[in-house]
Amino acid sequence: MISSILFDVDDTLYDQQQPFRQAIMTYFPEIPCQQLTSLYLRFRVHSDEQFGKVLANEWTLDYFRHYRLSTSLTDLGYAPVTLKESQHFQAMYEEQLDAITIHPAVKDTLDYLAGLPIQIGIITNGPTVHQQKKLDQLELTQWIKPEHMMISQATGYQKPDIEIFRLAESMFDLDPATTLYIGDNFDNDVIGAKRAGWQALWLNHRERTAPEGLALLPDMTIDCFEDLTAAITTHLSVQEMQYA
């Protein structure tokens, strides 16, 4: 039986590509619209791969942000950018993030879960101040207690490290066997949760390909936000029958 459901934030509770697209179109108008999704995906890859260096104090946050943007651009054949250019982009990106709203289908899911005897929580990777601004903008305290929201930099760990899942178990009083994690990133969210003995729902709305041999690792996979409530409902029903 599922007793707790935890969510990722970026590109899981809201469409992260939209603020990224706006910032790119403002500062790099030469990039054609048809390449923006590919650029965004590279940006996410470098962000996920390198943020651990910020946690380890190997990189400053400014350098990390410059690296992920500049490297994403060079991956697609564009010239690298200067630190100052990346700072201008970051300022616009954050300005756009100040206007994010929770995806309507996710709101419906949270409203549904709020009526069930299920604890809801958050584990998100990223800088503490930056991610907290997103949590506040999304007004998540309508459904989730502030003490059940975890930001990686504040813990010293990050997904997919098992330590951050174990810390969440301790702080949120979770039973790993009856906890479901929902996220869009296969490595961080699916592999991380499954290593910790949790269940995992992969919200694959960017149509990524699972690593070879691991397509069946998630307990559920959906390819659009609109299928989220139905997938959870079905999973809860199956769990009830198994535990009956």
Side-chain angles (χ1 to χ4, degrees), residues 129-180:
V129 173
H130 186 61
Q131 294 303 101
Q132 186 62 54
K133 283 178 62 178
K134 296 176 188 176
L135 300 178
D136 294 341
Q137 176 63 27
L138 294 171
E139 300 180 331
L140 294 177
T141 53
Q142 296 177 65
W143 306 278
I144 305 170
K145 296 177 181 178
E147 59 267 29
H148 290 163
M149 302 184 195
M150 180 174 289
I151 300 173
S152 66
Q153 188 178 43
T155 70
Y157 305 113
Q158 67 168 351
K159 299 177 298 181
D161 298 340
I162 196 170
E163 289 86 358
I164 198 166
F165 293 94
R166 292 290 177 253
L167 185 60
E169 291 167 12
S170 174
M171 292 183 65
F172 304 163
D173 191 24
L174 306 177
D175 177 353
T178 60
T179 297
L180 172 67

Side-chain angles (χ1 to χ4, degrees):
M1 196 57 195
I2 296 296
S3 59
S4 305
I5 297 180
L6 276 71
F7 291 83
D8 172 47
V9 172
D10 294 317
D11 230 21
T12 296
L13 298 185
Y14 72 99
D15 180 359
Q16 191 183 27
Q17 187 172 175
Q18 185 57 35
F20 175 83
R21 289 171 67 96
Q22 289 300 121
I24 288 293
M25 288 189 294
T26 299
Y27 282 101
F28 305 99
E30 71 276 14
I31 297 178
C33 289
Q34 59 267 30
Q35 285 195 324
L36 292 179
T37 294
S38 296
L39 182 62
Y40 167 75
L41 292 175
R42 294 309 303 161
F43 185 82
R44 284 292 305 274
V45 166
H46 293 303
S47 185
D48 291 333
E49 286 181 348
Q50 305 301 335
F51 186 68
K53 293 179 180 177
V54 178
L55 290 180
N57 294 316
E58 296 175 19
W59 285 4
T60 65
L61 189 56
D62 253 5
Y63 181 77
F64 160 75
R65 287 169 168 167
H66 170 253
Y67 175 90
R68 69 178 178 179
L69 175 62
S70 191
T71 307
S72 298
L73 289 166
T74 59
D75 285 349
L76 269 63
Y78 294 96
V81 295
T82 66
L83 178 61
K84 193 170 188 65
E85 288 173 323
S86 70
Q87 290 171 333
H88 286 312
F89 165 82
Q90 183 66 31
M92 173 60 72
Y93 182 41
E94 291 190 26
E95 181 180 317
Q96 294 297 319
L97 286 171
D98 286 343
I100 59 173
T101 57
I102 197 162
H103 193 285
V106 177
K107 181 183 182 300
D108 290 343
T109 298
L110 292 172
D111 287 341
Y112 164 68
L113 292 176
L116 300 178
I118 290 176
Q119 178 174 298
I120 313 172
I122 293 289
I123 304 177
T124 177
N125 280 358
T128 303
V129 173
H130 186 61
Q131 294 303 101
Q132 186 62 54
K133 283 178 62 178
K134 296 176 188 176
L135 300 178
D136 294 341
Q137 176 63 27
L138 294 171
E139 300 180 331
L140 294 177
T141 53
Q142 296 177 65
W143 306 278
I144 305 170
K145 296 177 181 178
E147 59 267 29
H148 290 163
M149 302 184 195
M150 180 174 289
I151 300 173
S152 66
Q153 188 178 43
T155 70
Y157 305 113
Q158 67 168 351
K159 299 177 298 181
D161 298 340
I162 196 170
E163 289 86 358
I164 198 166
F165 293 94
R166 292 290 177 253
L167 185 60
E169 291 167 12
S170 174
M171 292 183 65
F172 304 163
D173 191 24
L174 306 177
D175 177 353
T178 60
T179 297
L180 172 67
Y181 192 78
I182 297 172
D184 71 296
N185 186 289
F186 197 94
D187 291 340
N188 289 344
D189 303 327
V190 175
I191 293 178
K194 296 300 287 185
R195 281 177 180 165
W198 297 16
Q199 297 174 50
L201 186 159
W202 186 24
L203 178 54
N204 187 25
H205 61 101
R206 298 294 177 202
E207 299 182 349
R208 296 179 173 96
T209 301
E212 186 175 355
L214 295 180
L216 298 180
L217 183 63
D219 297 273
M220 294 169 282
T221 299
I222 58 175
D223 59 13
C224 65
F225 289 97
E226 289 74 15
D227 288 345
L228 185 56
T229 300
I232 292 173
T233 302
T234 299
H235 191 63
L236 292 177
S237 297
V238 170
Q239 292 278 301
E240 284 181 6
M241 288 188 289
Q242 289 178 342
Y243 280 83

